[in-house]
Amino acid sequence: MTICINENKETNGKEAALKGGLLIQKTLNEKGSARIILATGASQFEMISELIKADIDWSKVEVFHLDEYIGIPESHKASFRKYLKERFEAKVSNLKAFHYIKGDAENLDEELSRINGLISRDIIDVAFVGIGENAHLAFNDPPADFETEIPYLVVNLDEECRKQQLNEGWFSSLEDVPRQAVSMSVRQIMKSTYIINTVPDKRKAAAVSCSVNGKINKKCPASILQIHENCYSFFDRESASLLRFDQ
């Protein structure tokens, strides 16, 4: 893992987007097409707002997203489909494809089969991710499953995760926050050629600390990123405030 620490969240998002954009362009130059993953949530605001400015031929790029709540319609303000359509897809030109997870599908088993088939067709070149206050990676809350080879699966959301969603303003009460979601698995994320991990804010400092300084542990899911050879983690001063750099 390569660690980059920036002064504030705005600079952090810009630097993460710059690196990610360069890796997408590198992939396009080498392969002629690219497949990427986009994360959502408050931690990705600045990164996505910068990534859409990159000089990239989006007509050669396919996009997947990390996760989606089960049972929430696309019109809900917390819907990750809504988030990504408004903040990303609507602002880039001629995107090749965006493969959304339909968390409110009438037949969820069929939806999982569909999205798993799509993502399994080829490797993911660049994955843009973040980590939660409980160090979850996608919606893989602790203790995370590090073994499953299933690309997308149904997961249970723990209370700390659900409180984070409430505190970020996506829901009006804890009871409104779904208890399950469709999440990309840890192994599927780790299969990506490059990973851009963007994590700002003081509230993420403990999660950043266990992810970087702690042992690889299912109770700190994002710690698995330590062993990815091409993971670039972007922290601001606040999120990095508990890190130790021993000599």
Side-chain angles (χ1 to χ4, degrees):
M1 181 194 297
T2 300
I3 296 173
C4 309
I5 300 176
N6 296 285
E7 189 61 33
N8 53 53
K9 68 166 62 179
E10 290 76 17
T11 304
N12 198 56
K14 185 173 184 178
E15 291 298 317
L18 177 62
K19 181 65 175 180
L22 289 173
L23 291 173
I24 294 172
Q25 190 58 58
K26 177 178 184 290
T27 302
L28 291 177
N29 292 341
E30 293 173 351
K31 297 171 54 177
S33 63
R35 306 175 95 219
I36 72 171
I37 297 165
L38 286 180
T40 54
S43 67
Q44 305 299 308
F45 287 161
E46 292 80 14
M47 190 283 294
I48 288 179
S49 69
E50 291 295 330
L51 184 63
I52 61 176
K53 301 174 186 177
D55 184 17
I56 291 170
D57 183 353
W58 295 105
S59 69
K60 298 177 180 179
V61 180
E62 285 183 82
V63 187
F64 293 82
H65 65 133
L66 278 172
D67 40 33
E68 181 60 281
Y69 296 107
I70 290 177
I72 283 186
E74 187 182 317
S75 58
H76 193 290
K77 70 176 182 179
S79 164
F80 295 145
R81 285 168 290 169
K82 176 180 174 66
Y83 177 117
L84 289 165
K85 285 185 178 182
E86 293 178 352
R87 293 178 179 273
F88 181 81
E89 187 178 11
K91 297 184 179 182
V92 298
S93 299
N94 303 315
L95 187 66
K96 181 177 180 180
F98 203 128
H99 304 295
Y100 290 102
I101 307 163
K102 299 174 184 177
D104 59 343
E106 186 173 332
N107 189 320
L108 194 57
D109 287 339
E110 287 184 1
E111 174 60 10
L112 285 168
S113 179
R114 181 190 72 85
I115 196 72
N116 282 336
L118 287 169
I119 201 168
S120 298
R121 288 177 181 174
D122 204 348
I123 65 169
I124 294 296
D125 299 295
V126 185
F128 293 87
V129 305
I131 66 176
E133 293 175 25
N134 64 354
H136 68 207
L137 188 59
F139 265 146
N140 297 288
D141 287 336
D145 186 340
F146 284 176
E147 283 78 40
T148 184
E149 294 285 351
I150 301 171
Y152 286 99
L153 66 161
V154 173
V155 296
N156 296 318
L157 306 182
D158 70 19
E159 187 167 335
E160 187 175 352
C161 171
R162 294 173 64 238
K163 284 181 177 177
Q164 178 184 330
Q165 312 312 314
L166 172 64
N167 293 336
E168 288 184 0
W170 303 109
F171 298 92
S172 57
S173 71
L174 184 61
E175 189 59 33
D176 291 337
V177 184
R179 296 177 182 273
Q180 288 189 312
V182 174
S183 177
M184 185 175 290
S185 67
V186 172
R187 283 212 171 189
Q188 179 63 45
I189 294 168
M190 292 292 286
K191 289 177 182 178
S192 305
T193 303
Y194 303 101
I195 296 177
I196 301 292
N197 178 35
T198 308
V199 193
D201 298 330
K202 181 72 172 179
R203 62 195 174 91
K204 300 286 184 75
V208 166
S209 177
C210 84
S211 299
V212 174
N213 292 139
K215 294 181 179 180
I216 296 174
N217 188 331
K218 295 179 180 182
K219 294 182 179 179
C220 182
S223 64
I224 194 72
L225 296 175
Q226 293 176 28
I227 62 172
H228 195 287
E229 293 182 354
N230 296 304
C231 176
Y232 300 88
S233 286
F234 292 83
F235 309 130
D236 64 6
R237 289 291 177 187
E238 292 189 336
S239 64
S241 60
L242 298 180
L243 286 182
R244 303 186 317 273
F245 296 97
D246 299 329
Q247 298 299 317

